[in-house]
């Protein structure tokens, strides 16, 4: 009797797209599953180059980074900056109003309550910090995915050129607005063009710009009423956090205009034409991104346009803005049971990370068009799943996606049901942040969506060096605490006091070693306590 041969795989999880979302997926899976699950990230470029502008990182993405590992968030904080305020200018160059950072009483209250505040970091720096956090060899450059073949047990990923295909158990599409993975998986067309074209570039500081250390950001255009919408023509100049090797390009300018004004200025733009959706790094010819920006904003004040005109044309990016509108009934296939535990349940920072069942049956049923983010062994993440306009939350939601996906993989294993659980959990929160987590958010929405701790830590769920942790715990119980205090009858207070004592005892170590030791100790506590 012949038995069916067990399938072989080159990798457990294949990730298409080496941007922040794809890299965060690899980092989150590595944190949640350690070496038990292998990951590869396929990036079409030969290597990373300086590109993108700056990203405002709200507390929600800070919590997601912290869930991957506290050291990762610490690195982001180290390289980030905050502005002293914003000076708003009319189109004629007149300063209309100056708004100091933190001038809102609600902002101060939220910082006092949660200890987190938004900060700025370059998009390139975000990608580089995530890349540096990964073990060597996970990202495969110059590897362009063309298509995949799927069966009941996995996918075969194919590449251009002579790169041999790779077989994976699961495939994650993190390949942006015009995702090839989504096109093959769902075949539901491109995202909706919202009617706006944007230009971005990074520049060095020069005379005439705000003070390099204490100057505010500049905002140009008819910016009243605030907040801006995507139909407003405006320009921004602001400083961003950098790495040591990018300090010479620590300022960004951004210009945005509705398509009607773009075409009125004589600039051709087809939001769905392959050669027009995005122009990046052209050499300054008649149709370069920089020349187009100069045409559309020729009447803007010289204080901003002199900076634009002096920009290296090869660093300017022009692209349309796109969005996928999420429906109320966007849920993944019913293989995810309504009582599947959620990753993203608001939690207290020190709460025990146990999987608590939640009944989602009251949130709606899947009727009408199938709007799932994946099928079979394939799922989507970030802009490939839920593209949105660039207000900082596009990147933030991609990193949130990565954390939630990794948590379900940790809980259920590398299987299709983990993908369906992830797809079921994410849409309600993504939709809420799309609609309410922007500059127009009410204080209640801002606190609930952006400031409250949301993610169960991935690093607490794993148990690295369990034997060492257990030995350390036993030594601590014998030498530093009365044995009776280890009774779990008053678990919360005991853990807090123990964590404080251990933190003091480890204060002589360097920062990274101290964090590693605390992570190991927490892992032991949270995986050893009864109940």
């Amino acid at each position: 009797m012949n038995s069916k041969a067990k399938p072989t795989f080159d990798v457990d999880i294949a990730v298409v797209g080496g941007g922040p979302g794809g890299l965060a997926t690899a980092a989150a899976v590595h944190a949640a599953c350690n070496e038990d699950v292998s990951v590869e990230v396929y990036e079409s470029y030969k290597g990373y180059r300086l590109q993108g502008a700056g990203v405002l990182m709200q507390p929600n993405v800070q919590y997601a980074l912290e869930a991957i590992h506290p050291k990762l968030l610490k690195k982001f904080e180290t390289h980030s900056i905050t502005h002293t305020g914003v000076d708003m200018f009319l189109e004629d160059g007149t300063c209309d109003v100056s708004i100091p950072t933190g001038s809102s009483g609600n902002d101060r209250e939220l910082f006092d309550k949660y200890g987190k505040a938004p900060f700025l970091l370059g998009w390139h720096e975000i990608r580089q910090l995530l890349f540096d956090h990964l073990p060597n060899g996970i990202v495969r450059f110059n590897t362009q995915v063309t298509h995949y073949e799927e069966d009941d047990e996995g996918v075969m990923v194919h590449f251009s050129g002579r790169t041999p295909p790779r077989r994976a158990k699961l495939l994650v599409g993190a390949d942006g607005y015009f995702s090839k993975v989504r096109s093959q998986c769902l075949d539901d067309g491109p995202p909706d063009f919202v009617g706006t074209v944007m230009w971005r570039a990074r520049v060095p500081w020069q005379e005439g710009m705000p003070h390099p250390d204490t100057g505010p950001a500049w905002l140009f255009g008819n910016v009243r009423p605030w907040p801006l919408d995507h139909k407003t023509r405006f320009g921004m100049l602001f400083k961003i956090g950098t790495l040591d090797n990018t300090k010479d390009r620590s300022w960004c300018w951004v210009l945005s205009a509705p398509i009607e004004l773009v075409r009125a200025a004589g600039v051709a733009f087809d939001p769905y034409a392959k050669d027009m959706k995005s122009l990046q790094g052209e050499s300054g010819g008649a149709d370069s991104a920089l020349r187009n920006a100069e045409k559309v904003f020729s009447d803007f004040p010289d204080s901003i346009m002199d900076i634009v005109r002096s920009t290296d044309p090869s660093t300017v990016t022009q692209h349309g803005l796109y969005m996928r509108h999420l429906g109320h009934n966007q849920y993944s296939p019913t293989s995810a049971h309504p009582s599947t535990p959620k990753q993203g349940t608001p939690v207290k920072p020190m709460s025990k990370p146990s999987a608590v069942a939640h009944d989602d049956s009251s949130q709606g049923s899947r009727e009408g068009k199938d709007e799932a983010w994946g099928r079979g062994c394939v799922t989507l993440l970030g802009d490939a799943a839920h593209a949105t306009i660039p207000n900082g939350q596009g990147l933030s939601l991609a990193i949130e996606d990565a954390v939630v996906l990794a948590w379900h993989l940790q809980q259920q294993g590398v299987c299709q049901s983990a993908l369906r659980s992830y797809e079921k959990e994410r849409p309600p929160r993504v939709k809420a942040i799309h609609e309410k987590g922007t500059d127009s958010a009410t204080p209640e929405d801002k606190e609930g969506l952006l400031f409250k701790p949301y993610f169960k830590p991935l690093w607490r769920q794993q148990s690295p060096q369990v034997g060492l942790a257990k030995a350390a715990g036993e030594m601590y119980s014998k030498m530093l605490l009365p044995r009776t205090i280890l009774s779990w009858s008053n678990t919360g207070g005991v853990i807090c006091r123990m964590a404080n004592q251990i933190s003091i005892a480890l204060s002589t170590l360097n920062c990274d070693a101290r964090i590693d030791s605390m992570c190991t100790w927490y892992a032991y506590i949270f995986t050893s306590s009864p109940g």
Side-chain angles (χ1 to χ4, degrees), residues 266-268 279 282-295 318:
V267 173
L279 295 177
E282 273 64 25
S283 58
D287 296 322
S288 76
L290 178 60
R291 299 295 172 256
N292 291 344
E294 292 177 16
K295 291 178 183 179
Q318 169 191 307

Side-chain angles (χ1 to χ4, degrees), residues 110-139:
L110 290 174
F111 177 77
D112 291 341
K113 185 174 181 179
Y114 296 102
K116 292 190 185 297
F119 57 68
L120 279 162
L121 196 58
W123 185 92
H124 168 80
E125 283 75 9
I126 293 170
R127 180 179 61 181
Q128 190 65 47
L129 288 171
L130 287 167
F131 174 78
D132 292 343
H133 186 74
L134 293 173
N136 293 332
I138 285 183
V139 180

Side-chain angles (χ1 to χ4, degrees), residues 469 472-473 476 498-499 502 516-526:
Y476 181 80
M498 290 166 68
I502 294 172
D516 282 338
S517 299
M518 289 301 293
C519 291
T520 302
W521 173 253
Y522 287 147
Y524 174 60
I525 289 177
F526 289 124

Side-chain angles (χ1 to χ4, degrees), residues 330-342:
Q330 180 160 352
Y331 288 97
S332 56
T334 53
S335 59
H337 192 272
S339 62
T340 301
K342 286 185 176 182

Side-chain angles (χ1 to χ4, degrees), residues 402-473:
V403 170
V404 175
L405 174 59
W407 190 85
H408 284 292
L409 289 168
Q410 180 195 70
Q411 298 300 303
Q412 301 181 51
V414 181
C415 57
Q416 295 184 27
S417 63
L419 304 188
R420 304 292 86 82
S421 297
Y422 151 76
E423 292 163 4
K424 180 175 182 177
E425 178 172 345
R426 289 300 290 158
R429 176 166 171 83
V430 171
K431 186 174 186 293
I433 290 182
H434 276 192
E435 295 177 350
K436 302 177 181 180
T438 63
D439 294 325
S440 60
T442 65
E444 294 77 17
D445 286 337
K446 180 183 287 188
E447 179 175 7
L449 293 172
L450 305 183
F451 276 80
K452 285 187 176 180
Y454 188 78
F455 301 101
K456 296 183 177 74
L458 299 174
W459 54 267
R460 288 183 186 173
Q461 297 280 14
Q462 64 178 341
S463 53
Q465 301 172 321
V466 173
L468 178 62
K470 187 174 182 180

Side-chain angles (χ1 to χ4, degrees), residues 54-59 61-63 65 72-83 116-122 126 129 239-241:
V55 179
L56 181 65
M57 306 196 75
Q58 294 279 7
V61 71
Q62 297 175 36
Y63 286 123
L65 292 168
L72 183 58
L73 175 61
K74 183 65 177 178
K75 290 177 181 178
F76 274 67
E77 292 173 338
T78 299
H79 293 283
S80 68
I81 67 164
T82 56
H83 277 286
K116 292 190 185 297
F119 57 68
L120 279 162
L121 196 58
I126 293 170
L129 288 171
K239 187 177 181 181
I240 60 172

